[in-house]
Amino acid sequence: MYFKTYNFKLEPPAVSFRTSGEKAGIIDIEPRTGILYINGSLDWETQQVHKLQVESLDESGERVKGPYAVTIHVEDVNDNPPEFNQTKYYGVVRQNSRPGKPFMYVHATDRDDPTTLHAQLSYSILHHFPNPYAEMLFQIDNATGAISPSRKGSSYLDPQKQDNFILVVSVKDMAGTTANAFTSSVDVSITVKESLWKAPPTIYIKENSTQVHPVNISKVQSNEPDVIYGIFEKEKLPRLPFSISENGDIYVTQPLDREEKDAYTFYVVSKDNTGELVEKPLQIHIIVEDINDNPPVCQQDLTIIEVQENEIGGSSIGTVFATDMDQEDSLNSRLHFQIQSQEPEFPTNNLFYIQQDTGTLQLTGRSLSKRESAKYFLKVLVTDPQFETICNVEVHVIDINDQIPIFNNSDYGSVTLAEDIPIGSLILEIEATDGDEPATGSSLIIYQVKEGDPNNTFIIETDSETNRGFIRINKALDFETMPVYNLVINATNPEPLVEGVKYNASSLTKLKVSVTNVDEPPAFRMPFYETEVSEDIPVNTLVMTVEAYDPEGDSVRYSLEGDVRKWLRIDSATGQVYTASPLDRETEEIYRIKVVVSELTQKSEALLTLHLRDVNDNYPQIATDYPAFFCYPVSGGERTLIQATDADEQFFYSKFTFSLADDMNARNNWEISKFNATHAYLSLKHANFEEKVYDVPIILNDNGKPPLENKVNLKVSICKCSSENSCFIEIDREHSWPTAGQAIGILLAVLIIIGAILAGVFFHMRYKEKKEKSHPKDAKDNAELNRLT
């Protein structure tokens, strides 16, 4: 290939050119024309720069000029494909490896100029075999050739499913951006291995270990090198007795106590040097194994068991309870019970038997007798495989209830009571005796009225120390209802009688109660009376009926007290209450009076409350809380707020209507506009108003049921205003002086007042003089007297 690069020009006396230097056998110059040419192909990969010297010669071959330096730079072209540095690659990836974390690299080179796109390489994965998903399980960094699991691959890769993959990795020059780039490919064999990062099985540690701590109990290993291991707690403890080394060794840092805590759960994490988690946290579960380090403990310092005399041999009489803090349902906490001693050993030394596994106490053969011994003291030995404890037991022999209560009197005769006797009054004391052991349920006596008191009018209380019974009034007596009570009273024990013993007539007594009549006051059927009526009901309308009766059956009469408004009257015979005059809710909304019922000698009272329901019977008015005025001179358009009010309930005037009367003058001068339900604006329609008081006719409607309408004349002042924007009214000077009669009256009033003051001073001085004769005064009092004078 012939290629001209440069043409040199001859200058006399030069007739030719000559070249030397790095000509590589293909670079030369034509001597006569001076054309520098290349006769062949340059190779950038062989030599990137050629340096030459050119000089001109005369006819004799002597140098005329030069030598001149010529440098030829060879530009690279993309004429070399990329090449991998291995014919096949092998890699290992761990199960559950992080997505994007490289586990191997592929590398290729290109002989072209590295400063150009010719040698810039781009990696990609063409295929991988097998490919169970549409998504790739692996990914490659197109610039570095780093191969890592994809997000899908991080969760899918499992040696149990597929332990080997073949990737076809491609590399392109020109940064992979052009279609005519050179491409090479290589196979990458990847072996999937089981994850090193996995939780160890449950760790068992014996409590109260005597080893030197810390003690290694397990180990974890990350799939990645140079990670930082750490522990965090699932449950917040004052101090977690575990640690982990930089190599993943897990230690227990102190002896554990199963009775304090029998299990621990915490997590181990692995992080990179930036603090990011490398793998999912592993849960570590620790079980603290029990050793026999706790003795049995008696549940009570002294176990007291009560046994009745009639309990037969073999009966279970109670249980001795003990506990062991060692692991439940293990041999370490298995307890055995044994009676070590019995006091007294009378009548025999083996009256009791204890079941060795349950602690249940039984009688061995014969019933106990309180006459032989009221108490027995047992020492029970409680053992586990290593320790023993003594539990104290006290057995009380309880007298059986084989004696019935017997009344001292079988008939207490009769008592007479007035029917008005107060509730709780004591009417009689009764007594029975019981032969069983005192202060027990077998001897305590309960008295009850068995017959003759259907309404529980009487109650009987027992003194637990003396066993006496006290009959008291439980409900009010009523001669008219029950004049006589024939009571049958029985005496029983709270403890059941033993078999074969029953209560009989000896446990019964009688009492007759006679009730005498007392003149009682009449009584109302109801404690109070209350009703609601409309305020507009007619006079003589029936409001309500009150009812009363006399316990003795006498006739009663009714009357009213406190009817200050004379609104009501009552029929003295029937108790019917009528209106006597018109009612008015606005005068009194709730009206309370007394109803009196009387018989010949006594009377009773009840409260009658009358609620008056409002009707719309009051006309609306203009509220007079403030005067209406406008400041003179007016400019037109000013407005003032006016308010309507009504004596009826809010219900009837929740919305007022304001309007001007049908008056031409009023409509030409004034205008009314609504503000809210109770207020409206009164406005001036022009500025031609004089300084005086105007009467403005206004129609008010309360929109009640029925609606009431009222025409009112609102006085509105057009007046000069003060600086405080209030109406100022000048007084006419010709009327500002009082008349002669008025002046004389004023003068007389002033003289009377002065005379009264002088008289008061005179009497005060005389009073002081009298006191000075009997009680000398100091200078301060004299000065005060002089001042008043």
Side-chain angles (χ1 to χ4, degrees):
M1 183 179 67
Y2 182 84
F3 178 73
K4 296 179 181 180
T5 61
Y6 193 78
N7 194 352
F8 291 90
K9 300 297 182 180
L10 286 171
E11 295 179 3
V15 295
S16 65
F17 293 96
R18 182 176 60 193
T19 182
S20 61
E22 299 172 346
K23 297 191 291 183
I26 59 173
I27 305 174
D28 209 343
I29 192 170
E30 291 186 357
R32 296 297 178 182
T33 63
I35 296 174
L36 185 66
Y37 64 91
I38 299 173
N39 189 19
S41 297
L42 298 177
D43 187 6
W44 180 89
E45 287 75 23
T46 302
Q47 189 170 349
Q48 291 88 34
V49 178
H50 294 265
K51 294 185 177 181
L52 309 174
Q53 295 81 36
V54 176
E55 53 189 0
S56 60
L57 306 175
D58 59 14
E59 287 289 346
S60 62
E62 295 294 327
R63 183 173 58 198
V64 176
K65 290 184 179 180
Y68 296 101
V70 176
T71 301
I72 298 175
H73 293 274
V74 181
E75 291 184 355
D76 184 47
V77 295
N78 190 18
D79 57 351
N80 290 283
E83 296 178 354
F84 284 100
N85 62 353
Q86 293 179 213
T87 57
K88 190 171 184 177
Y89 291 87
Y90 297 89
V92 175
V93 64
R94 292 285 178 181
Q95 181 184 9
N96 298 328
S97 291
R98 270 196 299 174
K101 180 69 176 178
F103 62 87
M104 67 174 298
Y105 290 83
V106 296
H107 182 68
T109 57
D110 192 307
R111 295 177 60 224
D112 290 319
D113 186 355
T115 64
T116 66
L117 282 176
H118 304 155
Q120 290 188 21
L121 306 182
S122 176
Y123 299 93
S124 63
I125 298 176
L126 295 179
H127 309 285
H128 73 56
F129 305 98
N131 186 11
Y133 296 100
E135 300 176 52
M136 287 281 190
L137 301 183
F138 299 93
Q139 58 192 14
I140 190 168
D141 188 302
N142 63 354
T144 64
I147 300 176
S148 62
S150 65
R151 189 170 298 278
K152 185 74 174 180
S154 177
S155 59
Y156 171 81
L157 294 174
D158 183 349
Q160 302 298 323
K161 298 178 181 178
Q162 180 70 35
D163 62 354
N164 187 261
F165 291 88
I166 299 295
L167 306 187
V168 179
V169 176
S170 168
V171 63
K172 290 183 179 183
D173 61 14
M174 299 299 290
T177 59
T178 62
N180 57 352
F182 287 106
T183 303
S184 297
S185 61
V186 70
D187 285 357
V188 179
S189 177
I190 297 176
T191 301
V192 181
K193 291 191 175 181
E194 187 178 4
S195 176
L196 298 174
W197 182 250
K198 53 186 176 182
T202 300
I203 302 168
Y204 293 87
I205 303 174
K206 284 192 178 298
E207 66 171 330
N208 298 325
S209 171
T210 58
Q211 292 180 273
V212 178
H213 287 74
V215 177
N216 181 262
I217 56 174
S218 189
K219 180 180 178 64
V220 295
Q221 183 177 350
S222 174
N223 289 322
E224 299 182 18
D226 303 323
V227 298
I228 301 169
Y229 296 102
I231 285 177
F232 73 89
E233 304 173 46
K234 180 180 180 182
E235 47 192 333
K236 296 299 180 183
L237 300 174
R239 181 174 179 273
L240 186 68
F242 301 96
S243 65
I244 190 167
S245 72
E246 61 183 12
N247 297 322
D249 293 315
I250 302 174
Y251 294 89
V252 58
T253 59
Q254 66 186 47
L256 306 179
D257 185 358
R258 190 202 68 84
E259 286 71 41
E260 180 181 322
K261 189 169 178 60
D262 60 0
Y264 295 85
T265 299
F266 57 88
Y267 290 88
V268 173
V269 296
S270 58
K271 300 181 180 179
D272 58 22
N273 56 10
T274 66
E276 293 293 324
L277 286 177
V278 173
E279 289 114 341
K280 294 180 180 179
L282 298 180
Q283 187 181 67
I284 309 299
H285 191 53
I286 308 289
I287 298 295
V288 184
E289 291 186 302
D290 185 46
I291 63 171
N292 193 1
D293 58 345
N294 289 281
V297 177
C298 303
Q299 197 172 77
Q300 295 176 315
D301 294 335
L302 176 64
T303 300
I304 297 178
I305 296 175
E306 294 185 343
V307 183
Q308 287 189 340
E309 288 180 307
N310 62 341
E311 291 286 354
I312 61 175
S315 298
S316 295
I317 61 174
T319 302
V320 179
F321 293 101
T323 58
D324 193 306
M325 290 183 64
D326 290 317
Q327 186 173 352
E328 189 177 359
D329 298 328
S330 70
L331 291 176
N332 294 334
S333 62
R334 183 184 181 187
L335 302 181
H336 286 89
F337 299 84
Q338 179 185 352
I339 297 176
Q340 193 177 60
S341 66
Q342 168 197 313
E343 291 182 6
E345 297 181 350
F346 180 82
T348 64
N349 63 356
N350 60 346
L351 292 173
F352 305 96
Y353 167 78
I354 193 167
Q355 294 182 13
Q356 67 170 4
D357 288 310
T358 63
T360 301
L361 271 173
Q362 294 175 284
L363 296 177
T364 55
R366 64 189 298 276
S367 297
L368 302 179
S369 172
K370 188 169 184 178
R371 288 182 293 276
E372 294 173 345
S373 179
K375 293 181 181 179
Y376 290 91
F377 301 93
L378 306 179
K379 289 191 178 295
V380 176
L381 178 66
V382 185
T383 61
D384 67 13
Q386 188 172 345
F387 299 96
E388 63 181 34
T389 299
I390 296 294
C391 293
N392 294 310
V393 180
E394 194 173 285
V395 180
H396 295 182
V397 182
I398 304 300
D399 180 42
I400 58 176
N401 192 10
D402 57 356
Q403 301 289 323
I404 64 172
I406 298 175
F407 274 105
N408 298 346
N409 297 317
S410 60
D411 192 332
Y412 278 89
S414 65
V415 295
T416 301
L417 304 174
E419 65 176 335
D420 61 350
I421 185 172
I423 293 175
S425 298
L426 176 65
I427 64 170
L428 187 67
E429 181 180 331
I430 60 177
E431 185 176 10
T433 57
D434 192 299
D436 289 311
E437 181 184 359
T440 66
S442 298
S443 62
L444 180 65
I445 298 176
I446 298 175
Y447 299 96
Q448 291 176 314
V449 178
K450 184 178 180 182
E451 297 175 10
D453 184 16
N455 298 318
N456 298 319
T457 305
F458 304 93
I459 189 171
I460 307 176
E461 300 171 351
T462 300
D463 184 334
S464 59
E465 294 184 0
T466 64
N467 262 348
R468 292 176 180 173
F470 302 93
I471 305 177
R472 298 183 183 274
I473 300 297
N474 186 45
K475 295 180 181 179
L477 302 179
D478 186 4
F479 171 82
E480 289 74 22
T481 305
M482 197 87 169
V484 177
Y485 295 87
N486 292 304
L487 305 181
V488 176
I489 300 170
N490 67 355
T492 59
N493 303 125
E495 283 290 330
L497 296 172
V498 298
E499 188 176 355
V501 179
K502 295 183 179 181
Y503 296 106
N504 55 38
S506 300
S507 299
L508 299 176
T509 190
K510 297 178 181 179
L511 174 65
K512 180 179 180 181
V513 179
S514 299
V515 181
T516 60
N517 189 27
V518 175
D519 187 17
E520 299 171 277
F524 284 98
R525 300 287 184 189
M526 297 172 61
F528 60 90
Y529 294 88
E530 189 171 15
T531 189
E532 181 184 52
V533 296
S534 179
E535 67 172 327
D536 63 345
I537 60 174
V539 176
N540 291 324
T541 298
L542 177 64
V543 174
M544 69 169 65
T545 300
V546 298
E547 291 185 59
Y549 65 94
D550 183 70
E552 286 73 37
D554 295 335
S555 60
V556 297
R557 298 187 65 78
Y558 300 93
S559 61
L560 299 178
E561 287 186 2
D563 185 15
V564 294
R565 301 200 181 278
K566 306 301 181 183
W567 280 354
L568 303 175
R569 65 178 179 83
I570 190 168
D571 188 307
S572 61
T574 64
Q576 293 177 320
V577 181
Y578 297 88
T579 56
S581 60
L583 308 178
D584 184 16
R585 188 203 66 85
E586 287 71 35
T587 301
E588 195 157 354
E589 183 176 356
I590 301 176
Y591 193 53
R592 294 183 176 90
I593 61 173
K594 291 180 181 178
V595 181
V596 180
V597 60
S598 57
E599 39 104 326
L600 292 176
T601 60
Q602 300 195 68
K603 67 178 182 178
S604 298
E605 296 177 351
L607 181 65
L608 186 153
T609 302
L610 191 64
H611 296 268
L612 300 184
R613 190 168 53 249
D614 191 35
V615 296
N616 195 22
D617 58 350
N618 288 277
Y619 289 92
Q621 302 289 337
I622 292 292
T624 57
D625 293 342
Y626 49 87
F629 70 91
F630 293 95
C631 292
Y632 182 83
V634 298
S635 57
E638 295 96 330
R639 62 182 184 178
T640 187
L641 197 65
I642 59 175
Q643 179 185 359
T645 186
D646 192 313
D648 291 315
E649 279 189 297
Q650 181 86 13
F651 174 80
F652 291 109
Y653 64 91
S654 59
K655 186 176 182 182
F656 288 105
T657 301
F658 298 80
S659 62
L660 290 171
D662 190 11
D663 179 272
M664 183 63 70
N665 188 42
R667 293 181 181 273
N668 289 337
N669 293 333
W670 311 93
E671 185 176 22
I672 284 185
S673 59
K674 177 182 175 182
F675 174 68
N676 59 21
T678 58
H679 292 73
Y681 284 116
L682 177 65
S683 306
L684 304 176
K685 296 188 73 173
H686 57 79
N688 299 323
F689 283 90
E690 299 178 12
E691 185 180 356
K692 67 175 185 177
V693 177
Y694 291 83
D695 285 329
V696 182
I698 297 175
I699 305 298
L700 300 177
N701 191 310
D702 64 6
N703 294 295
K705 294 182 180 179
L708 295 180
E709 190 172 88
N710 189 22
K711 178 181 179 181
V712 296
N713 284 322
L714 176 66
K715 292 192 177 295
V716 180
S717 295
I718 307 294
C719 57
K720 291 181 180 179
C721 292
S722 65
S723 58
E724 289 80 15
N725 202 30
S726 61
C727 192
F728 175 74
I729 301 176
E730 294 186 356
I731 300 175
D732 191 350
R733 293 195 176 273
E734 67 184 42
H735 300 294
S736 60
W737 294 103
T739 64
Q742 291 174 334
I744 293 171
I746 293 171
L747 180 60
L748 288 174
V750 170
L751 291 174
I752 291 170
I753 293 171
I754 293 173
I757 294 173
L758 292 174
V761 172
F762 174 76
F763 285 116
H764 181 74
M765 291 173 63
R766 293 296 301 272
Y767 175 75
K768 289 288 186 178
E769 289 175 357
K770 289 180 180 180
K771 293 192 71 175
E772 284 176 356
K773 291 178 181 180
S774 57
H775 303 286
K777 288 295 181 177
D778 57 17
K780 182 179 179 181
D781 291 337
N782 291 331
E784 177 66 14
L785 180 61
N786 293 334
R787 186 185 66 79
L788 289 173
T789 304

